[in-house]
Amino acid sequence: MTRQIILDTETTGIDPRDGHRIIEIGCIEMVKRRLTNRTFHVYINPQRDIDAGAQKVHGLSNDFLADKPLFADVVDDFIHFVDGAELVIHNAPFDVGFLNHEFRLLNRGLGRLEDCCTILDTLAMARKMHPGQRNSLDALCKRYGVDNSGRNLHGALIDADLLASMYIAMTSGQDSLFGNVENKPKEVTTEAGHDVVFEKGTSHNLPIIKASSEELAAHEDKLDAIQATGAEVLWRQ
């Protein structure tokens, strides 16, 4: 079973080496490239002030976070949720660096996030696929047609949801994000008499156009003419 966790965090600032802390974690589970509707989302009291620049990005305030749990209160549930999964993160060194810093502060011998998960950095992937172009999450959503119009501020769960859609699109979108999508092929008949099968469960709904009865009859007539010359007709073997 391929289990992936789309992960994002929000923080009090840019660098944990300056004492900055995590204030929000958002995770979305995906199994075999389909969302399972299982999420992990928590706000965290960082026990320090939030930089003004960071607050402009995510809109979270010290007052809002004052009554939220500490990282120590949520770490076990977080590790249980992500354990054994592949983490899909945009600019993974940032989020992983902050999470590993929080682990070290607890002094519980938790090790590193990489000890219990594998890490996939979609920013590094995008830079290889689109060298020399802007590869922020917003830029990639625009490039791959992912609607992010409702994203006025950054938020860990909001960004994880956008990243899930963008990741599926960027890795070819062969499967639907939604587990309840009807997988039964849809058949219609065109005015010209062609049977068309739309294969459900893909993001492209590619049609398979079947030959009409008239076209099949013309094909058989052609084979009869070829066979009458004594030539071998492979289609009839």
Side-chain angles (χ1 to χ4, degrees), residues 131-210:
Q133 301 183 50
R134 293 181 62 248
N135 290 301
S136 67
L137 182 56
D138 283 335
L140 289 168
C141 284
K142 182 177 180 180
R143 187 172 301 149
Y144 287 101
V146 175
D147 182 12
N148 65 346
S149 58
R151 182 198 192 216
N152 297 317
L153 292 170
H154 287 251
L157 196 62
I158 293 171
D159 286 1
D161 184 59
L162 287 174
L163 179 57
S165 298
M166 189 278 294
Y167 171 71
I168 287 291
M170 188 169 67
T171 55
S172 81
Q174 293 177 350
D175 298 286
S176 171
L177 280 173
F178 306 101
N180 62 351
V181 172
E182 177 62 55
N183 289 317
K184 185 178 179 180
K186 175 184 177 183
E187 296 192 23
V188 298
T189 302
T190 68
E191 292 182 359
H194 293 90
D195 291 327
V196 182
V197 179
F198 290 90
E199 294 292 347
K200 305 300 285 185
T202 70
S203 63
H204 301 294
N205 281 343
L206 298 177
I208 301 172
I209 302 177
K210 298 180 179 180

Side-chain angles (χ1 to χ4, degrees), residues 13 51 62 69 171 185 221:
D51 276 5
N62 292 303
T171 55
D221 290 341

Side-chain angles (χ1 to χ4, degrees), residues 13-237:
I14 296 298
D15 197 332
R17 292 173 296 184
D18 295 331
H20 287 294
R21 305 287 301 275
I22 290 176
I23 57 176
E24 184 185 7
I25 302 173
C27 299
I28 297 175
E29 183 184 61
M30 188 161 60
V31 176
K32 295 182 179 180
R33 295 170 61 84
R34 285 177 169 77
L35 296 182
T36 66
N37 295 322
R38 291 188 67 225
T39 63
F40 177 90
H41 180 231
V42 64
Y43 294 106
I44 298 167
N45 182 346
Q47 298 181 292
R48 60 150 293 155
D49 288 340
I50 300 170
D51 276 5
Q55 187 168 351
K56 287 181 180 179
V57 172
H58 50 61
L60 299 176
S61 67
N62 292 303
D63 288 343
F64 174 77
L65 297 172
D67 63 347
K68 301 302 184 285
L70 305 181
F71 187 83
D73 299 324
V74 303
V75 64
D76 290 332
D77 288 340
F78 169 72
I79 292 175
H80 178 73
F81 188 82
V82 302
D83 188 30
E86 178 182 56
L87 301 184
V88 179
I89 309 172
H90 200 66
N91 191 17
F94 178 87
D95 302 89
V96 173
F98 263 97
L99 286 163
N100 284 339
H101 178 68
E102 295 285 355
F103 289 172
R104 288 192 294 270
L105 290 178
L106 293 177
N107 197 26
R108 285 176 43 186
L110 294 174
R112 305 177 308 154
L113 187 61
E114 299 94 320
D115 296 333
C116 67
C117 304
T118 57
I119 311 295
L120 174 64
D121 185 358
T122 53
L123 178 57
M125 179 187 300
R127 284 172 173 168
K128 290 181 180 179
M129 296 173 65
H130 309 288
Q133 301 183 50
R134 293 181 62 248
N135 290 301
S136 67
L137 182 56
D138 283 335
L140 289 168
C141 284
K142 182 177 180 180
R143 187 172 301 149
Y144 287 101
V146 175
D147 182 12
N148 65 346
S149 58
R151 182 198 192 216
N152 297 317
L153 292 170
H154 287 251
L157 196 62
I158 293 171
D159 286 1
D161 184 59
L162 287 174
L163 179 57
S165 298
M166 189 278 294
Y167 171 71
I168 287 291
M170 188 169 67
T171 55
S172 81
Q174 293 177 350
D175 298 286
S176 171
L177 280 173
F178 306 101
N180 62 351
V181 172
E182 177 62 55
N183 289 317
K184 185 178 179 180
K186 175 184 177 183
E187 296 192 23
V188 298
T189 302
T190 68
E191 292 182 359
H194 293 90
D195 291 327
V196 182
V197 179
F198 290 90
E199 294 292 347
K200 305 300 285 185
T202 70
S203 63
H204 301 294
N205 281 343
L206 298 177
I208 301 172
I209 302 177
K210 298 180 179 180
S212 67
S213 57
E214 292 81 5
E215 289 167 333
L216 290 173
H219 179 66
E220 289 301 318
D221 290 341
K222 185 65 174 179
L223 295 183
D224 289 340
I226 295 173
Q227 200 165 20
T229 66
E232 184 177 15
V233 180
L234 296 178
W235 291 275
R236 289 181 172 173
Q237 286 188 356

